[in-house]
Amino acid sequence: MSRFSINQQEAVMSPDRQTLEKARAGDAAAFAEVVDSCYASIFRFAMKYTGQRQDAEDVAQQACIKLAHSIASYRFESAFSSWLYALVLNCARDWHRQQSRHRADTLDEDCGEAVADSADESRVYLRQVLDEVDAMGSGYRDTLVLVAGEGLSHREAAELLGVKESTVSWRLHEIRKRLASAAMQENGHD
């Protein structure tokens, strides 16, 4: 997995300043350019956060709607990619809160059916991991997706999450420890 810093992501998911200024001023064509340049990154992040294509599409759609409503508030004080990560992360968190009560029922149904192929098996495993991380408390999923999924540094993730870098490092340590323990229990080792 390649690791991208926010500065490297900026080149991947940011339109030029002139396009952003036009979009902020209400230019529909410029806003369409912004969405076109960022949508793949928005969807990729949502997919890593949700673990399901349909859910990722819902989060990405909500992020684009929120982007339309809030692009005028972008003030060029930080990298556009940082601002956009925060926006998409907030949409993903909102989605997660809305869906959390349905997730356990859906996972039980998925696990009860025969797994058709390795892609289905990977999705089920990803959802199990995300559920395990969710059980650890607030902020752990966000940390995992930003660092392991998006390849941000601990410092960059800390800035986006509004926590200390040591908090990000601690969360990742706890996630690794918890998942290793769960794997040991699953394999019959205590």
Side-chain angles (χ1 to χ4, degrees), residues 10 32 82 87 96 98 117 121 143 154-155 180:
E10 183 70 20
S82 297
L87 182 141
H96 186 256
Q98 293 170 352
D117 61 27
E121 185 176 323
T143 301
H154 292 202
R155 181 187 55 77

Side-chain angles (χ1 to χ4, degrees), residues 64-85:
C64 290
I65 291 168
K66 189 169 187 175
L67 178 61
H69 291 302
S70 54
I71 194 161
S73 70
Y74 176 63
R75 301 282 181 235
F76 298 94
E77 294 168 354
S78 63
F80 181 73
S81 59
S82 297
W83 183 83
L84 186 60
Y85 265 125

